[in-house]
Amino acid sequence: MCDGVVFHLIDCAPSLSVLTINALVAADSVLIPTQPQYFSMAGIQMFYDTFCKVNRKMNPSLQIEGVLVTMMDNRPNFMKDLVAQLRESYGDTFKVFDTEIPTSIRMSESSARGKSIFACDRRNKVAAAYEKLTRELIENGREGQTVQCELGKLLPNLAN
């Protein structure tokens, strides 16, 4: 809880199933996680189209908080290039968070144990990144990331 604001997180599978649609209908805003992989980032277009349909037909107040890059490894140049393309291509449509969640074996271990990274290793770089993301979300507040949906509008293609 921060300044009387309560955040409820609904974590959905990476699919556009009925459960995801229901979560979008119930939500005020959505944070879109993506991995720095071509097909993951290409899925943003499919999600955007679904978001626009839900926004127009079922939840007109639904907003996009932004896109969060997860499982980031800064060693391969192609990952850095994909994230740079993501920021350049989609940055005018919606926010791409400055915070990037890095990869970590400790994160995989904590998931396998069914515990959060904070319970397993609070000093881990992933825990620090999530704390940074929390600060970024709070600082951004509800400035409103109202996205003007245009069904059929194609966002820039990351393949170029």
Side-chain angles (χ1 to χ4, degrees), residues 10-15 20 24 29-37 39-45 47 64-71 86 94-97 99-101 130 133:
I10 305 170
D11 187 9
C12 298
S15 67
T20 303
L24 291 172
S29 65
V30 62
L31 186 145
I32 307 165
T34 188
Q35 294 177 22
Q37 301 290 332
F39 288 114
S40 295
M41 291 188 174
I44 292 173
Q45 177 63 54
F47 178 82
I64 294 177
E65 289 292 332
V67 175
L68 173 66
V69 176
T70 63
M71 301 180 79
L86 173 74
F94 37 73
K95 178 177 182 51
V96 178
F97 287 100
T99 303
E100 296 172 355
I101 309 301
Y130 276 113
L133 173 65

Side-chain angles (χ1 to χ4, degrees), residues 49-108:
D49 290 342
T50 301
F51 169 87
C52 288
K53 289 174 186 173
V54 169
N55 184 256
R56 286 208 169 161
K57 295 180 180 182
M58 295 176 263
N59 187 353
S61 62
L62 183 62
Q63 296 179 340
I64 294 177
E65 289 292 332
V67 175
L68 173 66
V69 176
T70 63
M71 301 180 79
M72 182 63 183
D73 183 349
N74 279 308
R75 294 173 295 178
N77 285 334
F78 80 91
M79 283 191 175
K80 290 186 273 190
D81 293 345
L82 275 173
V83 172
Q85 265 189 295
L86 173 74
R87 291 182 191 289
E88 182 180 322
S89 298
Y90 296 114
D92 290 338
T93 305
F94 37 73
K95 178 177 182 51
V96 178
F97 287 100
D98 295 330
T99 303
E100 296 172 355
I101 309 301
T103 58
S104 168
I105 295 300
R106 296 290 287 161
M107 184 64 195
S108 298

Side-chain angles (χ1 to χ4, degrees), residues 115-155:
K115 296 186 176 187
S116 78
I117 190 66
F118 295 99
C120 289
D121 186 0
R122 186 162 197 72
R123 297 181 193 186
N124 185 276
K125 62 184 179 180
V126 174
Y130 276 113
E131 286 177 352
K132 182 180 175 192
L133 173 65
T134 301
R135 284 190 299 276
E136 190 174 352
L137 279 165
I138 291 168
E139 287 170 8
N140 288 341
R142 294 298 307 189
E143 295 170 359
Q145 186 73 20
T146 303
V147 175
Q148 298 301 317
C149 286
E150 296 178 38
L151 293 176
K153 172 187 171 192
L154 292 176
L155 293 173

